[in-house]
Amino acid sequence: VPLFNPLEITLLALYALLYLAARDEFGNVSESAKYPLLIMAFWLLTTFTLRAVAQVYDPSLATLGHAFFNRTGQAALALIWSIAGCGAMLLGHARARRPVWFAGAALMGVVLVKMVLVDRHNLGELPGIFTTLGVGALLATVGYFAPVPPGEQSRSESE
C-alpha cells in the first residue's frame, strides 16, 4: 500500500505554489485569493480521504464516486471534516479570531446535518457507530477546550 500517492504529492505542491503566489510582501494572503484557497484545501482534503478509503479499505471501489456513496466513505468524510472543523475552532480560540472559530463551527454544523440526512441509515453498522462516537467525542472536546473567543467589543471593554 503506497503511503504517498504521486498525484497527491503533485496536487499538494501545486497548492503550495498557489499559496506562495497569493502572499504579499508581508506574508499575508490577499483577500481575493483567500476563499479560493480555502475551497481548494477542502476539496483536496475530501479527495485525499476518499482516495484512501478506495485504495486502503476497499480496492473494489473503482472511483471516488463509488467511495463517496459507500458507507465507509461517508463515515471517513464525517470524521475528517469534524477533525478539520475542530482544528479551526481550536485555532480560532487560540488566536482569538472569531471568524475562524465560526468557520469551524459551521463545518461542524455541516457534519451534523450530513449525519442526520445521510449517515442515519448506517447507525446500526460499524462505520455509523464509529462516526457517531467520533464526532460526539470531538464536539465534547472542542466545547471544553475552545469556547467562543471574545468579540471585539468585549475585548475593548476589558482593556
Side-chain angles (χ1 to χ4, degrees):
V1 175
L3 293 177
F4 300 106
N5 187 333
L7 176 62
E8 289 179 0
I9 292 171
T10 305
L11 287 173
L12 285 175
L14 176 65
Y15 181 79
L17 287 174
L18 288 172
Y19 177 79
L20 291 175
R23 292 175 27 179
D24 60 8
E25 62 271 3
F26 301 111
N28 299 323
V29 176
S30 69
E31 287 297 320
S32 62
K34 188 178 291 185
Y35 293 111
L37 283 173
L38 285 172
I39 291 169
M40 186 176 176
F42 184 74
W43 175 77
L44 288 173
L45 179 70
T46 301
T47 305
F48 293 172
T49 302
L50 290 176
R51 193 249 351 135
V53 166
Q55 185 175 8
V56 175
Y57 175 72
D58 192 359
S60 68
L61 301 171
T63 65
L64 294 180
H66 289 114
F68 181 78
F69 291 108
N70 185 345
R71 67 178 180 259
T72 307
Q74 288 296 317
L77 285 179
L79 286 173
I80 202 74
W81 290 351
S82 295
I83 291 169
C86 288
M89 291 172 77
L90 288 168
L91 183 69
H93 176 75
R95 295 189 180 175
R97 293 191 178 168
R98 287 174 69 92
V100 175
W101 191 93
F102 281 119
L107 185 54
M108 292 304 294
V110 167
V111 169
L112 292 175
V113 168
K114 176 192 159 322
M115 287 181 67
V116 168
L117 297 178
V118 177
D119 295 339
R120 67 183 166 96
H121 302 294
N122 301 327
L123 285 179
E125 301 170 356
L126 206 53
I129 294 169
F130 280 139
T131 301
T132 305
L133 292 175
V135 170
L138 285 170
L139 281 171
T141 304
V142 80
Y144 180 76
F145 288 109
V148 180
E152 292 295 325
Q153 197 173 36
S154 13
R155 272 189 274 176
S156 62
E157 290 173 1
S158 64
E159 293 174 355

